[in-house]
Amino acid sequence: MVVKTLPEFPVKKGEPAYKLWIFEPGEKKEMPLVFNLRQLAETRRPALLPGHRLCAGCAAPIVVKLASFAFRGPTIVVTATGCLEVSSTIFPYTSWAVPWIHNAFENAAATASGVEAALKALKKTGRLPYDHVDVVVFAGDGGTFDIGLQSLSGAAERGHDFLYILYDNEAYMNTGIQRSAGTPKYAWTTTSPVGSVLPGKMENKKPIAEIMVAHRIPYVATATPAHWMDFMKKVRKGIEVEGPAFIHTLSSCDRGWRHDTALTLEVTRRAVDTCYFPLWEWTPQSGYMLTDRSLAIARNPKLKQPIEKYLELQGRFRHLLKPENKHLVKELQELVDAAWEELLRKASNAPR
Amino acid sequence: MKREFLSGNRAVAEAALLSGLRFYAGYPITPASDLMEYLAERLPKVGGIAVQFEDEIASINAAIGASWAGAKAMTATSGPGFSLMAEGISLAVATETPLVVVDIMRAGPSTGIPTKTTQSDVYQARWLAHGDYILPVFAPWSAQDSYDLTIKAFNVSEKLRTPVILLSDAVIAHMWETLYTREPGEVEIVSRKKPVEPPEEYKPYKAGEDLVPPMAVFGEGYKVIVESLVHDEAGYYRQDTRTYREMVTRLREKIMRNIGVVYEHEEYWLEDAKIIIVSYGSTARMAYPVAKSLLSRGLRVGFLRLKTLWPLDEGKLSSALSKADKIIVVENNTGRIYYDIARIAGRDRARFSPILTVDPPGFNEVLEAVSRWL
């Protein structure tokens, strides 16, 4: 019998799991961005440690863990009310290996602004023993699209230096799957029910990333946990820029989207393959730039999949696959195509 | 009358529909989300509309707008969302907007424990907003009571042109019980008073004998001015003491003059009781059997359940409590209604048995808390 012993890296037995995230005052080291999986496993620990109580198949912890692999050093995490907050810090435990502040639902960006402004003041007066302390916000779609938009917009306008990562599961999953401004058209939720009269939510999704682009902040991007290298690169860019940065990640929720727990990443991958959720980044200098799979699709349009490939995996769109709702799928396809064409026109690295 | 099996929240929704609810504005928050989910399906079927807004601030202000457009409006939330509604409540008071706000209490402060309850928001319901005002607060203790008090909340809000708070809690909201629902016509449904004078003589805030001005809504041919500043009868902003005094006094008096309609409590075995247990809401569900059990052991115990938490009819309450030597207030907080009872009945007679629990209190827990004073 082969006895398998788990390697002890990166934390030795007996040491606290959050040891990697302790930074001695004055430490100059910047953590490198590692993409080699072996090296990553040997040298890193995510900032969200095991033992949290998010559902099996939830993409939110994947988003947080991938993002934390791209943190460059001392980092303070701000979390708005949501699934991630309630299930990662249940008394007497916390899953966070980094300093973490929760606030109310509508003010993650405002709290981050306060934290960042204080850090700036401490640094100015020589009381901050680090070169840089980064502030990263994790907030869901409710806390970003709806109730938190005001504080996010305010913080972006004031130009506070933090990275805001939106994990968009496209509804209020924490309170039981109610529609949000992030819910896509024709999706089922408990407050946009599907029946003989209505085919789910009748309104379009709010273009949150474009709203942030309109703020002319230094960095805006979209990402999914399925395209992990792309996501990690974007997180590092967002942290490194001076000023607010915003990353919109599509984060599937197997409870709300009604798919198998094993399909979490496949669903977000297909969202990109069907151009329903294209991957891009935007900076004031270069404008829109397609990245990763979306760039590949732009170069080779044959790779683009029909929208049914995305819809068929999810129970929330089940009604659309019925024969009588064919026109709705067609309409969705036209919407997706129009948005994709527009993005191709805007993107500076798309082939002409 | 029909026998049904409903949760507290569904009972509120059904009663609201019977009362003529046509516009619901809400935002997801545990433990009030299922009320919105239920109404999202039910309201369109009766020609109403349920809209989910981007936050509670939008929800309450949309409900105010809907009320001024002529629909009976409601919103429901819980502590954190209710805090956001503060300004809207104040606006509804100043503009005398009929409106029902359902506040399903959960444990606080801040995010607290969303799925569990305490009775810590009694003062929040009373004095949430700024300014000198009072508004009616009702506290049900069962699904049936949720149903009946919702009808009453609508009637009072329409009759007195005031926002009304229905202070339920997470236990009652999610508890399924048998109850009797009414058919249309079986129960009195009050609608707001309409002006009878011709449009050119109408003044939007000119009240008659009952101190409640007739309410013309948008599009009825009357000049409607909805003014949140201190205003006179015509609705114009005036910054003088006389107008302020008149307005604030009338806003208070229109409710206090109808205290007989607004205030309600239930009495059990009070005739020769020497000890009276006072409770309300979900805690009263266990205080009641404790009182009953003490009574069966030969103690002269009575039980009084408050249905209206604010404003209190001090005369009625004081005479109900007058014969007792001891009045024990049982509530799931560190002291809210106790201070009112102590003020009304006297500090020498009032005793306080706080139960601080996020789960429905057990029989022995309440018995132990009460026994301290026996």
Side-chain angles (χ1 to χ4, degrees), chain A residues 177-194:
Chain A
I177 323 166
Q178 291 88 13
R179 81 185 276 284
S180 76
T183 307
K185 201 169 188 181
Y186 302 139
W188 163 89
T189 69
T190 53
T191 50
S192 59
V194 171

Side-chain angles (χ1 to χ4, degrees), chain B residues 82-87 89 123-130 133 165:
Chain B
F82 197 40
S83 301
L84 288 179
M85 289 186 179
E87 196 188 11
I89 296 277
Y123 284 176
Q124 191 198 21
R126 280 184 185 178
W127 299 311
L128 174 65
H130 61 284
Y133 74 94
I165 314 289

Side-chain angles (χ1 to χ4, degrees), chain A residues 203-218:
Chain A
E203 298 81 20
N204 285 316
K205 186 180 171 109
K206 196 187 274 187
I208 190 76
E210 270 84 5
I211 292 173
M212 296 317 291
V213 167
H215 283 76
R216 294 292 179 268
I217 57 175

Side-chain angles (χ1 to χ4, degrees), chain A residues 271-321:
Chain A
V272 175
D273 288 348
T274 56
C275 296
Y276 162 83
F277 189 84
L279 300 172
W280 50 264
E281 57 186 358
W282 180 91
T283 59
Q285 296 78 34
S286 60
Y288 287 88
M289 302 267 280
L290 293 169
T291 61
D292 206 279
R293 185 69 179 170
S294 291
L295 184 60
I297 295 171
R299 286 175 179 156
N300 181 6
K302 273 188 223 154
L303 295 174
K304 185 166 176 274
Q305 304 277 324
I307 189 72
E308 286 95 336
K309 284 275 174 207
Y310 177 60
L311 304 179
E312 70 189 13
L313 289 182
Q314 304 170 51
R316 63 175 176 158
F317 291 120
R318 190 174 53 192
H319 54 287
L320 294 181
L321 302 176

Side-chain angles (χ1 to χ4, degrees), chain A residues 54 131 211 219 251 277 282:
Chain A
L54 286 152
D131 274 357
I211 292 173
Y219 188 75
S251 165
F277 189 84
W282 180 91

Side-chain angles (χ1 to χ4, degrees), chain A residues 102 147 172 178-179 190-191, chain B residues 27-28 33 37 52 54-55 111:
Chain A
H102 164 241
I147 194 167
Y172 291 87
Q178 291 88 13
R179 81 185 276 284
T190 53
T191 50
Chain B
Y27 186 69
S33 305
E37 290 169 4
Q52 185 188 318
E54 74 273 18
D55 56 21
T111 315

